[in-house]
Amino acid sequence: AEYMGDVTEGDAQFEKECGVGIVISDEDLDKLVSDRFQEIKETVLQERYQFNLDAFFGKLKKDDHLRWAPPAKLKQVLEQQFLTLVGPKTAEDEAAKDKKKEKPKKKKKKKKKKKKQ
């Protein structure tokens, strides 16, 4: 109790922040993820399999409604909806992946150490 500060038992704000009583059904999860995909649909369709799905997953986990969803279930729904939106990988997707790998990396300059006198 000493770590809770001014929070009292049954405090609505405390319970809200802890997710007390929050239940996210499969239908709610599908709808919430679908809504978030609609917000970035153009970007996803343009980038296709180059889109960073893991970064998007991280953003979803910070969402007020989705942060209480089971992560494994959220990831599954996210991947299913991504595949539905983008479709299966094509030869063009593989070629884009290869092009991304071919970009030459910049060489790092080594710093010269000063000699002690």
Side-chain angles (χ1 to χ4, degrees), residues 8-9 14-15 35 38 42 53 65 70 80 94 96 113:
T8 58
E9 197 172 317
F14 176 74
E15 289 182 356
D35 291 347
Q38 291 305 313
E42 295 302 318
L53 203 56
H65 301 288
Q80 286 172 345
E94 291 297 328
K113 293 183 180 178

Side-chain angles (χ1 to χ4, degrees), residues 16 19 21-25 28-33 35-36 39 59-71 74:
K16 178 185 174 198
I22 295 177
V23 178
I24 300 176
S25 69
D28 291 342
L29 187 58
D30 285 338
K31 178 157 181 15
L32 289 167
V33 171
D35 291 347
R36 298 312 180 274
E39 295 169 6
K59 288 179 184 177
L60 291 178
K61 282 299 297 167
K62 293 178 183 175
D63 182 275
D64 285 341
H65 301 288
L66 291 170
R67 71 182 190 174
W68 305 114
L74 176 60

Side-chain angles (χ1 to χ4, degrees), residues 7-106:
V7 177
T8 58
E9 197 172 317
D11 184 3
Q13 180 65 23
F14 176 74
E15 289 182 356
K16 178 185 174 198
E17 291 299 319
C18 294
V20 173
I22 295 177
V23 178
I24 300 176
S25 69
D26 290 347
E27 294 80 22
D28 291 342
L29 187 58
D30 285 338
K31 178 157 181 15
L32 289 167
V33 171
S34 178
D35 291 347
R36 298 312 180 274
F37 258 129
Q38 291 305 313
E39 295 169 6
I40 60 166
K41 183 178 180 178
E42 295 302 318
T43 303
V44 173
L45 290 174
Q46 183 180 10
E47 295 180 12
R48 293 186 51 86
Y49 282 88
Q50 299 303 310
F51 180 76
N52 191 339
L53 203 56
D54 289 332
F56 186 56
F57 175 73
K59 288 179 184 177
L60 291 178
K61 282 299 297 167
K62 293 178 183 175
D63 182 275
D64 285 341
H65 301 288
L66 291 170
R67 71 182 190 174
W68 305 114
K73 182 69 177 171
L74 176 60
K75 181 86 169 174
Q76 179 185 7
V77 170
L78 178 65
E79 289 172 349
Q80 286 172 345
Q81 290 193 16
F82 178 79
L83 187 58
T84 301
L85 180 63
V86 176
K89 274 190 180 181
T90 63
E92 291 174 1
D93 293 324
E94 291 297 328
K97 180 180 174 185
D98 292 340
K99 283 182 184 178
K100 191 174 181 181
K101 286 183 179 180
E102 289 176 10
K103 289 183 182 178
K105 293 182 180 178
K106 293 181 181 178

